[in-house]
Amino acid sequence: MDSALDCRRTQVLSVDVDAAMQRALELAAAARSWGDTPIGAVVLGPDGDLLAEAANEREKRGDPTAHAEVLALRAAAAVHGDGWRLTGCTLVVTLEPCTMCAGASVLARVDRVVYGADDPKAGAGGSLWDVLRDRRLNHRPEVTAGVRAEESATLLRAFFREKRSL
C-alpha cells in the first residue's frame, strides 16, 4: 500500500473514531440513569459503519460480565457475518478495558481498540496490564489511547463523586 493511501485511511479512521467516541460518551451518560458506571462502547465495522453499541449494564442485568465492551462485541458478532470473528473491526470505548474486556477483544480478533480515559486501577490496555499487546497471545490489536479522555474521565469522576455522597 502506498503511503498516500495509508495516510488518507488514517485520516478517515480518525474522523470516524471521534464520532464513534461521541456516541460511546452518550451511551456512557445514559448508563448513569440505571445506576451503572458510565462506560459506553461501540464497534465499527471494517468500512467504518456502526455495527453495535452498548453501555454498562452490570447493575441493570445483575450480571458481572455485562460490561459495555462485552455487550457491544456480542452484538457486533451477531451482525458482522463472520461468526465470532470481528476481523477488520474497531472497538471504541470510553474507559480503558479491564482484563476481561481486553481478553474478549483479543479473542474476538478486533483489529483496533480505541479508548478514552486510562484506568490505573484495572486497565489492561497498558496502564496496569497490557493484555491487548501481550506478545504471548495469538492476536494483538492496534491500541489508541486518550481519545476524548477528559470527557470520559469527567463522566466517571461525577458518577463516583455522586456515589460517595449518598
Side-chain angles (χ1 to χ4, degrees), residues 18 21 25 93-96 114-119 144-157:
D18 189 63
M21 186 61 81
L25 286 162
V93 60
T94 57
L95 181 66
E96 180 182 2
V114 176
Y115 69 86
D118 287 338
D119 185 354
T144 303
V147 175
R148 300 180 77 163
E150 189 52 41
E151 291 169 78
S152 298
T154 297
L155 272 174
L156 289 159
R157 280 192 298 268

Side-chain angles (χ1 to χ4, degrees), residues 24-77:
L25 286 162
E26 292 166 3
L27 293 162
R32 289 182 71 179
S33 69
W34 57 80
D36 265 291
T37 306
I39 300 170
V42 301
V43 178
L44 303 176
D47 57 1
D49 287 345
L50 181 70
L51 282 182
E53 60 183 30
N56 261 16
E57 294 189 7
R58 292 184 313 165
E59 300 298 329
K60 188 177 191 178
R61 294 181 183 215
D63 177 356
T65 68
H67 290 204
E69 301 95 309
V70 170
L71 297 174
L73 290 169
R74 286 177 183 161

